[in-house]
Amino acid sequence: MGNKHVNAIVVGAGAGGGIVAKELSVAGLSVVLFERGGWATYDDTDTDELKSQRTTPLGNAYGPDDSRYKRVIANADGSTYTVLPSEGGYNNNAACVGSGTVSYGAMAWRFMQEDFKLKTTYGAIEGSTLADWPFTYEDLEPCYEKAEWEIGVSGDATQNPFGAPRNKPYPMPPFSHNKEAQLLYDAAKRLGYHPFPIPMLRNSIPYGGRPACIRMRTCCGYACPVNAKCGTQNTVIPIAIATGNCELRINSVVSEILVNEQGKITGVTYFDEKNRKQTQTADLVVVSCSATETARLLLNSKSKFFPNGIGNENDWVGRNLQGHAYTGAYGIFEDEVYDDLGPGASVAISDFNHHNPGIMGGGVLCNEFIRMPYSFTGIRPPGSASWGKEHKAFQRLNFKRVAQAVGPYQEIPNFEARVEVDPVVKDFWGIPVVRLSGSRHEKDVEGCRLMSEKAELWLKEAGAIHTWQSLGGGKGISGGQHQAGTCRMGNDPKTSVTDKFGRIHAVPNLFVADGSLNVNNGGFNPALTIMALGFRVGGYIASEWSKGNRFK
Amino acid sequence: MEKQTKLTRRSFIALSVLGAGGMCLLSRCTNPPLSPWRFITVQESNLLDALVEQIIPTDEWLGGRDAGVTNFIDMQLTGPYTRYQETYRKGLMAIQETCKTKFQKRFEELPFEKQTQFLEAMEAGKMEGKLWEKGLDRQFFRLIRDHSLQGFYGSPRHGGNKNNVSYKMMRLDYPVIIGQNRYNN
Ligand SMILES: Cc1cc2nc3c(=O)[nH]c(=O)nc-3n(C[C@H](O)[C@H](O)[C@H](O)COP(=O)(O)OP(=O)(O)OC[C@H]3O[C@@H](n4cnc5c(N)ncnc54)[C@H](O)[C@@H]3O)c2cc1C
Ligand code: SF4
């Protein structure tokens, strides 16, 4: 039995895709929202540290699974090897309804005004494709606001003098600090920095028909047992389904975007939950598979019209893959700083995001989410034992005495850091897999060094008696949970993949709405920006549709 | 093993379905013994006990062996770590063969400090000879170390961390009962 034609297909029910599906179905378009994973439930893995979304030795709690998925990593010398989703090199985010927004740490950052015009702010950088966004922060501001109010954010913007201007406060008050965060808050004040509560996509008070957070020690990497964490799976996706216009089709892996003789998109092929190949047609398609998988789907959609993949006339699809270079420092305190008031991260300073002499950008610095016992086994001053009696004693003595200040350095976009599809290796369904290659820009490490030094100073001021840096930014492939940049927006089709509304330049009815669009990735975790882009792209399509535009 | 001689035919078959290393189908055959483990043999389990005890030694708290870390590893080797079966088989064999040649003893019979030195040499990639080719020493050491730490510090549901011993040692209340032993302040 064939599938009924619909107005829109959205591929991927994550941060970007969930929002687009809601915007379109509320506007009256009929929508099929495809998701390769299923509904995630807390009960499957609860607080299991070995199978979470953060520490994954025994697998990813929220997908994808090791048995059907893999990727290829290409070394600088051209040699390659295969990695599984539970291995770090895979650069995973998630695969379930809501994707990373089910298990994320839920930090809810707006990028700063400078982040939308890095090239204007810092000038060209050798070996980088640094560029301005095709619009300004002010253009995106209303979409940030929608994300904050429709998904739900707790915070107090008045405490951050470096935050970009905004029209409305956060809908919920901020979370209080635990013992460790309070120490750091006070220390930052003494240093003349500007500490403030991290805005969080978590309910500090009941909101959206869901209860307040009960502040557990597991949050980042885990689903929420009481539904107080706000993702697309418990906000916009249910709204989309409730309109009656949106069908969520889970366990369905989209394999190709279909193109007709005129170069127009007609729909997609996918493997359904019984692994049968199916076709779904639509007037328009929105790809929201995350930065690595969106590039893969476009590149795998080869036709007479698009021999190198859709949108790839100028070899830009999959380029400029960015994540974040996490960098910071650890400190051991004489007294215990751990008071079991989760989930940990709550204090931030944005003093070093921009205008650091000699450095492109920077990043926010925060205290860290509570580390569970196994994660803590890797946290040691340089030269410490990694096993044996001494290692065990350190676990016992210092678990409650260590604090970390860390942040995401904004990576310098690099054309050679890229997603391709592997010519040989295929996944369970026979679809060519992602091949990752290239590396971070060599200058990233300079920004990282600065941030790590500041983090170490901050910890010392807070009373740490022994500190050491954890320096990010080394060579190596980027991407990971904060993957972005592979289908960048721009006004010039020669140096970008989509226009300023996420539409693939050469194709009237194909859009992208996820982290792939980011021209650069900010000195912040990217989810709220991706959500704002979801509102921007979805809102644009809906408003054009209501004016009669059928994107032909 | 004693148990084996007492097995009825039916229970013997049931056990064999569970799959044991070194299975022997003739009832007169007693060597190698029927293993109570999933993947490892009884002999390998003795060695693994010693290895995990090196990574997490007993002090005022249980060590790796008594916390069930060997059980954790055996369980994962027929689950998510099936891909490491061959490395374990080769690595465990290489350790015993090396001990036999060098000390005329099995690894687990060496004094604790000697065992530690042996592992330090593996960690540093200093093992010699054909058995350790292609960096097996470093590679296998890393597996043993990481898997032992996972078994001791991870969730007890995977066969290790018996009675939440590591959580107790680190003074974390467990199991968490959502909404009950949580924060009232
Ligand atoms: C543990 C963890 C902590 C995090 N913490 C934070 C944080 O504190 N703050 C923050 O801002 N960000 C955080 N993130 C990152 C955040 O979750 C991502 O940035 C965000 O989800 C990316 O949005 P996206 O729309 O680009 O892709 P995703 O949200 O990943 O959505 C893509 C979806 O598409 C589906 N898909 C892919 N390919 C196909 C296909 N072929 N067919 C069908 N479906 C497909 C995927 O399964 C997925 O559901 C965290 C992530 C993780 C995992
Ligand atoms: S800490 Fe709060 S938001 Fe996070 S999982 Fe627990 S209850 Fe949910």
Side-chain angles (χ1 to χ4, degrees):
Chain A
M1 203 181 70
N3 286 306
K4 215 174 122 217
H5 181 86
V6 291
N7 296 141
I9 288 168
V10 180
V11 189
I19 288 169
V20 172
K22 179 242 152 194
E23 288 290 287
L24 301 189
S25 54
V26 166
L29 284 79
S30 55
V31 177
V32 173
L33 172 58
F34 282 102
E35 173 52 49
R36 62 181 172 167
W39 285 97
T41 59
Y42 170 83
D43 296 328
D44 293 342
T45 47
D46 58 66
T47 61
D48 185 346
E49 196 197 355
L50 301 181
K51 197 176 177 191
S52 69
Q53 207 66 14
R54 212 178 189 209
T55 32
T56 60
L58 302 185
N60 286 287
Y62 303 108
D65 56 89
D66 280 3
S67 55
R68 296 179 302 171
Y69 294 90
K70 56 185 148 204
R71 281 181 182 168
V72 171
I73 305 296
N75 297 314
D77 64 7
S79 62
T80 60
Y81 60 98
T82 307
V83 289
L84 299 173
S86 66
E87 296 172 320
Y90 189 91
N91 283 280
N92 188 32
N93 189 31
C96 60
V97 179
S99 188
T101 75
V102 171
S103 57
Y104 58 7
M107 293 190 186
W109 301 108
R110 292 183 178 206
F111 287 0
M112 290 162 67
Q113 286 162 309
E114 289 90 336
D115 295 322
F116 294 83
K117 39 182 190 192
L118 281 188
K119 188 155 186 201
T120 304
T121 309
Y122 294 100
I125 291 179
E126 212 190 309
S128 170
T129 42
L130 201 69
D132 291 352
W133 292 45
F135 50 84
T136 64
Y137 166 80
E138 284 71 18
D139 294 321
L140 196 58
E141 202 280 336
C143 296
Y144 272 125
E145 185 182 293
K146 276 197 188 132
E148 286 166 355
W149 283 78
E150 293 193 25
I151 316 288
V153 176
S154 302
D156 177 5
T158 64
Q159 293 186 48
N160 176 17
F162 301 105
R166 49 167 52 244
N167 286 319
K168 242 173 141 176
Y170 293 111
M172 291 178 273
F175 282 95
S176 64
H177 299 305
N178 64 12
K179 187 172 175 188
E180 167 194 301
Q182 192 61 47
L183 280 172
L184 283 162
Y185 178 90
D186 295 341
K189 283 265 176 203
R190 288 196 297 275
L191 287 167
Y193 302 157
H194 303 81
F196 62 96
I198 300 172
M200 285 285 185
L201 285 142
R202 290 167 33 226
N203 286 359
S204 60
I205 53 173
Y207 188 79
R210 292 174 291 104
C213 167
I214 56 170
R215 307 201 61 174
M216 304 149 63
R217 65 174 83 107
T218 49
C219 187
C220 184
Y222 305 84
C224 179
V226 299
N227 224 6
K229 182 148 61 175
C230 315
T232 54
Q233 82 287 353
N234 56 9
T235 54
V236 282
I237 292 173
I239 292 175
I241 294 170
T243 62
N245 295 331
C246 176
E247 181 199 336
L248 170 63
R249 214 169 278 168
I250 59 172
N251 299 314
S252 298
V253 180
V254 174
S255 50
E256 198 180 333
I257 301 164
L258 298 172
V259 182
N260 69 10
E261 291 295 316
Q262 287 75 46
K264 254 200 78 179
I265 305 306
T266 57
V268 300
T269 55
Y270 68 99
F271 291 91
D272 70 10
E273 54 194 344
K274 298 207 171 103
N275 303 313
R276 294 171 303 205
K277 196 164 184 178
Q278 306 261 20
T279 300
Q280 173 68 55
T281 61
D283 299 329
L284 64 97
V285 173
V286 184
V287 187
S288 303
C289 298
S290 79
T292 45
E293 294 294 323
T294 286
R296 176 191 181 199
L297 183 54
L298 295 179
L299 294 171
N300 270 334
S301 301
K302 293 192 174 80
S303 58
K304 197 173 74 191
F305 232 92
F306 302 108
N308 303 319
I310 300 182
N312 200 31
E313 295 77 48
N314 297 309
D315 189 22
W316 269 70
V317 171
R319 298 285 191 171
N320 304 305
L321 174 66
Q322 295 151 72
H324 279 118
Y326 262 80
T327 198
Y330 293 96
I332 303 181
F333 290 71
E334 200 167 346
D335 295 326
E336 292 188 356
V337 294
Y338 181 92
D339 62 359
D340 213 24
L341 184 59
S346 73
V347 64
I349 53 173
S350 200
D351 294 66
F352 306 106
N353 270 76
H354 283 291
H355 312 299
N356 299 298
I359 281 159
M360 198 297 297
V364 70
L365 282 170
C366 306
N367 76 318
E368 184 50 308
F369 292 100
I370 290 174
R371 289 158 297 268
M372 295 292 286
Y374 173 62
S375 316
F376 191 67
T377 62
I379 294 173
R380 293 294 184 275
S384 304
S386 70
W387 55 286
K389 258 201 159 87
E390 186 189 321
H391 182 269
K392 187 180 179 192
F394 190 101
Q395 284 287 105
R396 184 162 60 233
L397 287 175
N398 294 319
F399 178 65
K400 297 192 171 184
R401 268 181 243 276
V402 171
Q404 182 186 6
V406 67
Y409 173 69
Q410 161 141 264
E411 291 175 359
I412 301 172
N414 178 2
F415 194 65
E416 295 307 326
R418 68 189 293 202
V419 176
E420 296 169 277
V421 288
D422 195 82
V424 183
V425 180
K426 300 192 165 62
D427 67 11
F428 172 81
W429 299 272
I431 312 168
V433 304
V434 162
R435 172 209 276 250
L436 298 171
S437 63
S439 99
R440 293 196 169 90
H441 194 279
E442 58 188 19
K443 281 209 147 128
D444 282 356
V445 71
E446 294 173 15
C448 289
R449 202 169 285 129
L450 173 104
M451 283 176 63
S452 280
E453 281 163 12
K454 300 293 180 191
E456 192 173 17
L457 253 169
W458 188 14
L459 287 159
K460 281 198 169 121
E461 177 63 30
I465 49 174
H466 185 83
T467 55
W468 68 98
Q469 296 182 9
S470 55
L471 190 66
K475 283 258 163 196
I477 286 165
S478 188
Q481 294 168 349
H482 293 181
Q483 55 190 260
T486 54
C487 301
R488 79 156 44 159
M489 297 176 287
N491 293 323
D492 182 356
K494 291 208 182 61
T495 55
S496 59
V497 176
T498 81
D499 70 11
K500 61 184 179 177
F501 290 108
R503 175 156 54 173
I504 302 280
H505 285 300
V507 190
N509 61 339
L510 180 61
F511 292 80
V512 172
D514 61 17
S516 318
L517 295 177
N518 294 10
V519 179
N520 42 274
N521 213 14
F524 299 103
N525 315 45
L528 194 79
T529 299
I530 294 169
M531 289 171 172
L533 289 170
F535 280 107
R536 181 178 165 92
V537 174
Y540 170 76
I541 298 171
S543 93
E544 287 295 304
W545 189 273
S546 72
K547 291 181 213 152
N549 184 351
R550 294 296 177 265
F551 305 102
K552 288 193 169 140
Chain B
M1 279 171 93
E2 282 182 1
K3 230 169 52 189
Q4 196 183 338
T5 55
K6 288 191 197 129
L7 286 175
T8 65
R9 193 181 143 72
R10 258 184 76 201
S11 59
F12 179 71
I13 288 168
L15 262 179
S16 70
V17 171
L18 287 177
M23 272 286 304
C24 185
L25 285 169
L26 291 171
S27 56
R28 258 172 301 140
C29 167
T30 51
N31 195 25
L34 186 66
S35 175
W37 302 97
R38 304 163 189 86
F39 171 71
I40 54 176
T41 65
V42 170
Q43 291 201 336
E44 285 172 333
S45 79
N46 294 333
L47 170 54
L48 258 185
D49 273 349
L51 292 171
V52 305
E53 189 60 21
Q54 280 290 322
I55 305 299
I56 304 129
T58 303
D59 47 18
E60 30 313 19
W61 294 86
L62 291 191
R65 182 190 53 226
D66 297 331
V69 173
T70 302
N71 185 47
F72 167 87
I73 292 176
D74 181 53
M75 197 165 162
Q76 306 321 314
L77 283 173
T78 54
Y81 288 164
T82 304
R83 65 185 187 277
Y84 297 129
Q85 282 186 356
E86 204 191 313
T87 313
Y88 265 84
R89 198 95 311 145
K90 265 174 43 193
L92 294 172
M93 202 262 290
I95 292 177
Q96 290 302 29
E97 289 298 313
T98 308
C99 286
K100 219 176 3 191
T101 324
K102 266 181 131 169
F103 312 112
Q104 292 76 49
K105 278 195 173 135
R106 301 179 58 77
F107 180 89
E108 60 269 26
E109 291 162 357
L110 299 176
F112 192 87
E113 282 69 35
K114 263 249 154 68
Q115 293 180 5
T116 308
Q117 285 160 11
F118 192 101
L119 287 186
E120 282 167 354
M122 272 176 75
E123 183 182 22
K126 287 188 185 148
M127 307 305 284
E128 279 160 14
K130 230 181 141 44
L131 283 170
W132 297 102
E133 262 177 1
K134 291 193 193 144
L136 179 67
D137 45 4
R138 274 210 174 97
Q139 187 201 354
F140 187 50
F141 174 80
R142 233 177 281 141
L143 285 189
I144 294 276
R145 183 195 59 196
D146 293 353
H147 296 174
S148 299
L149 295 174
Q150 288 160 18
F152 192 78
Y153 294 108
S155 167
R157 64 167 56 177
H158 301 296
N161 196 0
K162 203 185 214 160
N163 301 325
N164 298 319
V165 57
S166 67
Y167 299 158
K168 284 181 190 153
M169 177 181 97
M170 292 161 83
R171 290 177 295 120
L172 281 171
D173 55 332
Y174 258 91
V176 171
I177 298 158
I178 301 298
Q180 287 192 23
N181 59 344
R182 309 311 303 160
Y183 322 92
N184 298 319
N185 46 340

